[in-house]
Amino acid sequence: MTINHGLNHRRIFRNHALGWLLLSVLLLLPVQAAPITLNLKDADINALVESMSVLTGKNFIVDPRVKGKVTIISAKPMDEKELYEVFLAVLGVHGFAAIPGNNVIKIVPAAGAKQESVPTVDSRSRAEADQIVTRIIQVQNVSAAQIVPILRPLIPPQGHLAAYTPTNVLIISDTAGNVERIAAIIARIDLASNEDVEIVALRHASATEIVRVLTALEQGKGRNDPAAAVGTPPRMVADERSNSILLSGDKASRLRLRALITHLDTPVDSGGNTQVVYLRYAKAKDLMTVLQGVSKSLSSEAARNAPMPTGQPGMPPGGSSSGGSSLVDIQADDSTNALVITAPPDLIRSLRSVIAQLDVRRAQVLVEAVIAEISAEKTAELGVQWVAYGNSVIGFTNLGSGNTSLANIVSLAAQVDAGSTTLPAVDRVPQGLHMAVGDFSGDNQFGALISALAKDADTNVLSTPTVVTLDNEEAEIIVGQNVPFVTGNYTTSTSSTAASSVGNPFQTIQRDDVGIKLKVKPQINEGNAVKLEISQEVSSVVPSANAATQGPTTNKRSIKTKVLVEDGQVLVLGGLIDENLNENAQKVPFLGDIPLLGNLFRYRGTTKLKRNLMVFLHPVILRDATQGTLHTNDKYSYIRDQQLAARARADYLLPSEQSPLLKPQPEVKTQGTILNVQPEAKVESTPPPAPIAEVEAGFGNK
């Protein structure tokens, strides 16, 4: 594009008379003229751009937002390169930037320059100090993300600074001069650390105790002297297996800590080798037995490794086979649940390591058993019985049994005919419908009894005994009655004379628990598997046989087995699916086979019994107090909701009396927070019984 210099100068002079006087002189000079001394006052920046295009031969595209007045004061002449550097500096001072491109330079506001096609440079590239560039700096020894907060104040708002963590590099977009300055700062920061790791082996003291003491010392030093806490603090880790301490830090810190460790790693006088170890979870007496056996093994090993005494060939190492074990004494204090250990320092250290591994919180197991039984019984009876007797013949059919027998009915009829006003005993009233007709007043008596019975009985029983116990500890729960059973009886005589002997009866009675029994011993294996030794029993007394002379009769269902169940899973222990159909018919020979009329001489009964019994098991491992609290709150909330529902139903006879109610659920603090689990929804007052298909899904609910 051809530029008419005369027209440009005249237009510039009209608008800016003060600044164009010097610019006219500059523009009239040849491009390749001698160095120029540039002095401008309140000149339009766009006019300066036009002048730079003429003097440098560069093409510029000016953003419409580039506006303003510039002032340049120069005392010495400048060549083309120096003049362009001054031009870039002027743009930077006024908040603008020159972005080089293909044969053209874009002049835009500096705030958006980083989003343009800014050239990417490295340490070998050369660019004008005020030119916007992008540079990627590789950080070698420190974290790039940690340097960003340090360098952020050195980057202007229009610049950019970011860290890319995967490759540990810094990305900087700013003027070339500022980028070079930041690169020099990074070079001073990015130095190899003098931190190292060394291992300090201990001979007498315990590595764990030494680390605890030194850690407390370093923490107190930082609180009392904040200047001493500047920099990376040294790190210490105890290796109990080798009784060594791993030190990490700078050389000065490691030397200081090593001197302290050497001072602390000294043998203890024999009189001071007694320590008291307080236990948190284990029982002192139980742990004492284990430690006594461990101490014997450790003492024997120490005696074997001891040097042979000089001049005593044939003696065992240590001079005595029992010398080592005699130095160890372990006692248990039940009142404080503590162990008192007297032993050499190395044995005390080994015993404390064993105690730390054994004195841990034992997990608990919540075992929930579900006994579901559904039974249905249907009975139907129909028959006719006859009786006839006269002066010379007697005939009858007695096809029933028990209270439905003809003899019992005749006895009742005779009792009524005699005018008795006393009701018959309940046990003599037969079940079902009975109709009797006849004449028992004359010499020839005749009677007939028609019996009909239909019985339908359904049973749905759901029992869920639950018990919580420690790992490898047996637990038992019994819900039922203690029923007496006669085991024997005899009578003694008080006189030797048989005629005058008086009997003295004796009975021996044994009481047994009847109801629901659950006995379980869990063992938690590695992972989430639970091995269970379980004994489940459900028993009940038969009401009809409760008053028998030989004693009550009980129904019993029991399972005793060993199973392996995953945590939170449901396993069926066993069960019974039984279906029994019993049909019986009694008839008079020949007469009972007559079609239709044979029904008058026949008695038929049908009984169908169907029973489904299943026992399920649901173990849940409670590894900490939080899990135990959650399960406890679940059951507690359920029972309290049931009581609230019962209280809501008013008692019409005693309206002022209220049913018992549990206290509100207490708040339990765990790890600084308050744990108070409330039920999600209020349970209905009378929930319907769950069908057998839903038993498995109901585990863990209520």
Side-chain angles (χ1 to χ4, degrees):
M1 180 176 64
T2 305
I3 301 176
N4 191 332
H5 300 286
L7 293 177
N8 289 338
H9 291 317
R10 286 194 296 270
R11 180 173 56 85
I12 296 172
F13 182 80
R14 269 195 320 266
N15 297 330
H16 310 281
L18 183 61
W20 290 130
L21 181 62
L22 292 176
L23 284 177
S24 303
V25 177
L26 293 174
L27 295 176
L28 292 174
L29 295 176
V31 176
Q32 302 296 331
I36 301 172
T37 303
L38 184 63
N39 288 281
L40 300 175
K41 185 176 180 180
D42 293 334
D44 188 80
I45 192 170
N46 289 280
L48 180 61
V49 174
E50 293 180 8
S51 301
M52 287 297 106
S53 177
V54 174
L55 295 174
T56 61
K58 301 179 183 295
N59 300 321
F60 296 98
I61 297 178
V62 183
D63 191 279
R65 294 170 292 180
V66 178
K67 298 178 181 179
K69 306 290 184 177
V70 298
T71 299
I72 303 174
I73 302 174
S74 175
K76 65 177 183 176
M78 296 176 290
D79 56 15
E80 180 182 337
K81 183 179 179 181
E82 294 174 340
L83 194 62
Y84 186 70
E85 291 179 355
V86 171
F87 173 67
L88 294 178
V90 171
L91 293 178
V93 170
H94 290 79
F96 305 114
I99 309 300
N102 295 330
N103 300 322
V104 68
I105 299 175
K106 295 186 291 185
I107 301 177
V108 297
K114 58 186 178 182
Q115 300 173 356
E116 300 290 339
S117 56
V118 179
T120 302
V121 300
D122 53 21
S123 59
R124 299 182 300 271
S125 302
R126 293 292 180 263
E128 288 79 1
D130 292 297
Q131 182 180 346
I132 302 296
V133 296
T134 298
R135 183 172 175 180
I136 301 175
I137 301 176
Q138 180 69 54
V139 184
Q140 300 292 338
N141 301 297
V142 298
S143 175
Q146 294 179 351
I147 303 179
V148 170
I150 301 174
L151 303 177
R152 183 74 67 185
L154 305 179
I155 302 295
Q158 63 271 18
H160 176 72
L161 174 64
Y164 184 63
T165 306
T167 57
N168 201 43
V169 297
L170 288 173
I171 304 174
I172 307 174
S173 290
D174 201 5
T175 60
N178 196 33
V179 171
E180 288 294 332
R181 179 172 71 101
I182 292 177
I185 296 174
I186 294 174
R188 293 179 175 250
I189 297 176
D190 189 21
L191 299 176
S193 176
N194 61 347
E195 290 190 1
D196 201 356
V197 178
E198 62 177 301
I199 301 175
V200 182
L202 304 182
R203 297 184 58 187
H204 307 285
S206 171
T208 304
E209 291 297 320
I210 295 294
V211 169
R212 182 182 61 82
V213 173
L214 295 180
T215 302
L217 178 65
E218 293 295 322
Q219 293 176 351
K221 181 180 178 182
R223 289 192 298 266
N224 298 329
D225 187 10
V230 177
T232 304
R235 295 180 295 275
M236 297 166 287
V237 179
D239 182 20
E240 296 183 357
R241 184 186 62 84
S242 61
N243 196 37
S244 304
I245 299 177
L246 281 72
L247 296 179
S248 175
D250 58 82
K251 187 176 181 180
S253 300
R254 287 186 281 109
L255 288 174
R256 178 173 56 85
L257 292 176
R258 194 189 309 160
L260 294 174
I261 293 173
T262 304
H263 179 74
L264 296 175
D265 187 27
T266 56
V268 183
D269 297 336
S270 59
N273 292 341
T274 300
Q275 293 188 13
V276 179
V277 182
Y278 294 94
L279 305 179
R280 299 182 60 188
Y281 305 105
K283 191 176 181 181
K285 274 192 174 182
D286 297 340
L287 201 56
M288 179 186 68
T289 306
V290 178
L291 295 178
Q292 287 175 347
V294 173
S295 64
K296 291 181 180 179
S297 301
L298 295 176
S299 300
S300 301
E301 183 179 357
R304 288 194 300 269
N305 297 331
M308 181 75 70
T310 306
Q312 298 184 12
M315 284 289 291
S320 175
S321 60
S322 61
S325 61
S326 62
L327 301 177
V328 181
D329 181 66
I330 304 174
Q331 300 294 330
D333 184 24
D334 292 338
S335 59
T336 59
N337 195 37
L339 293 171
V340 183
I341 304 175
T342 302
D346 55 342
L347 291 181
I348 288 182
R349 184 171 60 251
S350 300
L351 292 176
R352 289 186 69 95
S353 177
V354 175
I355 293 172
Q357 299 181 52
L358 295 178
D359 188 24
V360 295
R361 181 185 179 91
R362 297 170 62 185
Q364 301 180 104
V365 180
L366 169 69
V367 181
E368 182 178 10
V370 172
I371 304 101
E373 181 179 359
I374 298 177
S375 60
E377 181 181 1
K378 294 183 179 183
T379 303
E381 297 180 3
L382 179 63
V384 180
Q385 304 175 62
W386 300 88
V387 61
Y389 59 91
N391 295 329
S392 60
V393 63
I394 299 176
F396 60 87
T397 59
N398 191 14
L399 304 178
S401 62
N403 295 333
T404 62
S405 65
L406 182 61
N408 191 29
I409 299 299
V410 172
S411 176
L412 291 176
Q415 187 178 353
V416 175
D417 186 66
S420 176
T421 58
T422 305
L423 293 176
V426 177
D427 58 349
R428 299 188 63 188
V429 178
Q431 296 180 349
L433 175 64
H434 302 272
M435 298 180 62
V437 295
D439 183 12
F440 298 94
S441 60
D443 295 335
N444 297 319
Q445 300 181 7
F446 168 81
L449 174 65
I450 301 175
S451 302
L453 172 65
K455 182 179 178 182
D456 217 348
D458 295 327
T459 304
N460 189 349
V461 180
L462 180 64
S463 303
T464 57
T466 305
V467 64
V468 178
T469 181
L470 284 173
D471 182 26
N472 276 322
E473 295 291 340
E474 184 177 303
E476 182 179 6
I477 183 174
I478 300 176
V479 181
Q481 296 178 327
N482 193 258
V483 180
F485 294 88
V486 178
T487 58
N489 57 68
Y490 59 94
T491 304
T492 61
S493 178
T494 59
S495 176
S496 60
T497 306
S500 60
S501 62
V502 179
N504 190 10
F506 285 89
Q507 285 186 336
T508 57
I509 298 176
Q510 177 182 347
R511 290 186 172 271
D512 291 333
D513 296 325
V514 176
I516 298 176
K517 303 179 185 178
L518 177 62
K519 184 184 295 183
V520 61
K521 182 178 181 181
Q523 177 184 334
I524 302 176
N525 298 333
E526 185 68 23
N528 294 324
V530 182
K531 180 183 178 183
L532 292 169
E533 297 182 11
I534 189 167
S535 176
Q536 173 71 54
E537 179 181 319
V538 179
S539 57
S540 61
V541 177
V542 180
S544 60
N546 196 19
T549 56
Q550 67 272 19
T553 302
T554 59
N555 296 322
K556 184 176 180 181
R557 305 168 183 86
S558 65
I559 295 177
K560 187 176 182 181
T561 183
K562 299 179 181 179
V563 295
L564 189 66
V565 193
E566 293 294 325
D567 177 27
Q569 291 189 353
V570 180
L571 181 68
V572 58
L573 293 183
L576 171 66
I577 299 178
D578 184 23
E579 187 170 352
N580 187 13
L581 178 63
N582 186 15
E583 298 180 351
N584 61 82
Q586 299 178 6
K587 63 182 179 179
V588 178
F590 302 109
L591 297 179
D593 297 330
I594 300 175
L596 299 179
L597 290 179
N599 294 324
L600 300 177
F601 303 94
R602 191 185 304 156
Y603 198 99
R604 292 177 297 180
T606 302
T607 302
K608 184 178 181 181
L609 177 62
K610 186 176 182 180
R611 179 169 55 190
N612 297 309
L613 174 64
M614 289 293 170
V615 180
F616 302 91
L617 189 68
H618 178 226
V620 177
I621 301 177
L622 308 177
R623 298 190 181 275
D624 50 29
T626 302
Q627 291 181 323
T629 302
L630 289 174
H631 284 276
T632 301
N633 291 344
D634 187 39
K635 302 294 183 182
Y636 194 96
S637 300
Y638 171 74
I639 295 298
R640 195 170 188 275
D641 288 342
Q642 294 293 317
Q643 291 180 338
L644 289 173
R647 176 173 285 191
R649 298 189 298 267
D651 193 338
Y652 296 101
L653 299 179
L654 297 174
S656 61
E657 298 294 330
Q658 293 183 338
S659 60
L661 181 64
L662 289 174
K663 295 181 178 180
Q665 192 171 334
E667 294 181 345
V668 180
K669 293 185 177 180
T670 166
Q671 299 181 355
T673 61
I674 296 179
L675 178 63
N676 189 3
V677 181
Q678 300 293 336
E680 296 181 359
K682 192 173 182 179
V683 182
E684 298 180 1
S685 58
T686 55
I692 189 67
E694 300 179 359
V695 170
E696 184 174 341
F699 275 106
N701 293 335
K702 307 294 185 269

